[in-house]
Amino acid sequence: MILLSHPTGNANIRNTARAFAEAGALAEFWTCLSWQPGGAVDRLLPAALRQQLARRSFPDLPSELVRTAPWRELGRFLAPRLGLSSLTRPETGCFSVDAVYHGFDRAVARRVRRAPALSGVYTGEDCALETFQAARERGLHRFYDLPIGYWRAGQEIYREEAAREPAWAETLGGLTDSSRKLERKDAELRLAQTIVVASSFTRKTLDLAPASLKDIRVIPYGAPPVRRPEVPLGGSGKLRVLFAGALGQRKGLSYLLEAMRTLGAAAELTLIGRKTSETCRPLNVAVRDHRWIPTLSHSEVLAEMGRHDVLVFPSLFEGFGLVLLEALSRGLPVVATEHTGAPDVLSDGVDGFIIPLRSASAIAERLHLLASDRTRLAAMKEAALATAGRLTWDKYRRRVAALATSSSIRS
């Protein structure tokens, strides 16, 4: 039996929990908040806060298996709304993401030390250190979910990018991580026994890790159920280009913007995501010059995808990029770099394009091709739908369930 923990419960962790539960291998699922949408308190909250909290509900799990450690996360939610944003300052604030993750880790570790009949623990980056120490004391198997490439590879890319695109440097948040934070990541890796990653790129970045990492599993994420797009597969007029994700240079945004300038009136761009800086001048120009939607619910993002022709995801450093599969499920071919999950799921030139890193010209070339050849665009949209239909969350759950039921860790 496995104790699974994650502070927020992102899509892959939710499906991991469901997979373990369906396999009869989930002892407990720990998270910060487990919200009940539609309840008496929920109805009294502002719509924006209700929307955020709705993402913290877990209807697919038996309620008796869900445990919470909510207090620091509630503080993180409330502090900015009370004018106390300094309390959420990275690493130093008492309600920072770092404080939330570390406090959560301590709470889970306490439970691991006394929970009966466990065979393993499954947790993620930045909230695993004390949980793994407690699991080691009891001889439990330690699964580590790594959602993004290894930090040493990231730091190298961020430094290069800051030199190449200095106007965008302030959006590269990873450059400011303290040595203490980075050392903690390495300590977690040293304690991990099985490391689960979503892409071959993430797997490759772990070659830079100082620890000897023997058991690394690459399990790509799953796509939502396929739904045909609202717009005609070929269409006419301007090519409708979409970007979805945090608006900053880790996502390679400057290269997409440069490509759009090359295309001129042949294409139009929608940006979905929050700005990673309020003072980055080229970013502020971009959200003024293009259609910008700061935030949407998950269902609204999928609906917006169905109104576009192509997703561009020129990320410099990623773990996978779930948005790739979400776009495919709505019939959007994807233009993405090799530093994402694209090489694991796309067939280049069939359902999307895999492009070199930092190449505005490569982005512009692929977009020009789709804008000028609507028959090719329609064929690639059909191929995108077919790919998403094969890469389901059911498939993901079967693969992670196999980890839980492995004879090497079964109680």
Side-chain angles (χ1 to χ4, degrees):
M1 299 292 285
I2 294 177
L3 186 150
L4 170 65
S5 66
H6 191 273
T8 62
N10 54 28
N12 61 297
I13 290 294
R14 288 168 180 271
N15 278 278
T16 298
R18 180 178 166 185
F20 289 176
E22 290 172 350
L26 182 65
E28 295 174 0
F29 171 62
W30 278 75
T31 190
C32 286
L33 300 175
S34 180
W35 195 250
Q36 302 300 321
V41 175
D42 186 66
R43 289 193 293 270
L44 297 174
L45 297 176
L49 184 55
R50 284 203 309 272
Q51 186 182 89
Q52 279 188 288
L53 290 171
R55 298 171 184 168
R56 304 297 189 89
S57 62
F58 301 90
D60 292 331
L61 294 179
S63 59
E64 66 271 16
L65 299 184
V66 179
R67 309 292 180 89
T68 60
W71 303 115
R72 282 186 185 269
E73 181 69 336
L74 286 172
R76 189 175 74 88
F77 263 100
L78 295 174
R81 292 170 174 82
L82 298 174
L84 301 171
S85 294
S86 62
L87 299 182
T88 64
R89 188 174 294 119
E91 297 200 50
T92 60
C94 62
F95 295 129
S96 66
V97 170
D98 307 275
V100 170
Y101 272 53
H102 299 170
F104 177 77
D105 184 20
R106 287 192 294 274
V108 174
R110 287 193 295 269
R111 178 58 180 166
V112 169
R113 288 189 172 93
R114 66 178 188 270
L118 294 180
S119 58
V121 295
Y122 191 116
T123 190
E125 186 180 35
D126 297 325
C127 61
L129 182 59
E130 295 188 49
T131 299
F132 279 174
Q133 289 169 342
R136 182 177 59 180
E137 292 168 9
R138 292 190 55 184
L140 307 179
H141 196 89
R142 302 180 293 278
F143 293 97
Y144 190 55
D145 181 84
L146 184 62
I148 193 168
Y150 176 55
W151 70 265
R152 291 178 192 270
Q155 291 279 305
E156 183 177 320
I157 289 170
Y158 300 152
R159 286 192 293 269
E160 292 172 355
E161 198 59 27
R164 288 175 61 99
E165 297 276 357
W168 287 87
E170 65 189 86
T171 71
L172 295 166
L175 276 175
T176 62
D177 287 347
S178 69
S179 59
R180 181 179 178 184
K181 180 172 182 174
L182 300 176
E183 288 164 4
R184 182 186 175 101
K185 293 176 187 286
D186 278 344
E188 291 178 340
L189 274 175
R190 285 192 294 271
L191 287 167
Q193 292 173 289
T194 298
I195 301 167
V196 182
V197 299
S199 69
S200 300
F201 170 69
T202 301
R203 169 66 183 86
K204 183 178 179 181
T205 66
L206 284 168
D207 291 344
L208 296 178
S212 177
L213 309 175
K214 296 182 174 62
D215 187 13
I216 304 174
R217 313 288 182 95
V218 180
I219 306 179
Y221 296 151
V226 167
R227 180 172 296 177
R228 299 188 71 80
E230 298 177 13
V231 297
L233 286 178
S236 59
K238 291 185 178 183
L239 185 74
R240 291 157 294 210
V241 180
L242 179 67
F243 172 90
L247 302 186
Q249 195 58 6
R250 180 172 73 83
K251 302 289 186 178
L253 190 57
S254 75
Y255 303 104
L256 169 57
L257 297 171
E258 184 180 341
M260 292 301 298
R261 286 191 289 271
T262 301
L263 287 162
E268 59 188 15
L269 174 64
T270 297
L271 303 167
I272 300 177
R274 290 189 174 92
K275 294 190 294 182
T276 54
S277 168
E278 291 298 327
T279 57
C280 174
R281 184 177 180 278
L283 177 56
N284 288 331
V285 170
V287 300
R288 182 195 66 202
D289 291 351
H290 299 282
R291 180 174 177 243
W292 175 42
I293 307 172
T295 183
L296 290 173
S297 68
H298 184 249
S299 62
E300 290 169 334
V301 170
L302 294 177
E304 193 64 39
M305 286 177 169
R307 302 181 190 112
H308 287 77
D309 293 311
V310 58
L311 177 86
V312 180
F313 194 62
S315 192
L316 308 180
F317 187 69
E318 206 61 51
F320 183 87
L322 187 54
V323 68
L324 303 175
L325 292 177
E326 292 170 339
L328 293 173
S329 78
R330 284 346 186 226
L332 272 67
V334 174
V335 180
T337 67
E338 56 203 355
H339 282 197
T340 68
D344 296 287
V345 301
L346 294 182
S347 297
D348 189 36
V350 177
D351 47 12
F353 297 103
I354 302 169
I355 58 169
L357 209 62
R358 299 177 171 127
S359 179
S361 61
I363 298 171
E365 178 185 335
R366 272 59 168 195
L367 294 181
H368 177 75
L369 172 62
L370 296 178
S372 59
D373 187 346
R374 296 308 173 105
T375 301
R376 174 74 176 271
L377 174 60
M380 293 188 74
K381 282 177 169 283
E382 290 285 4
L385 291 167
T387 297
R390 292 191 298 271
L391 298 171
T392 64
W393 280 115
D394 282 343
K395 183 176 181 180
Y396 177 87
R397 288 194 296 272
R398 287 195 297 272
R399 295 186 67 181
V400 296
L403 296 178
T405 56
S406 168
S407 60
S408 63
I409 62 99
R410 191 185 303 139
S411 62

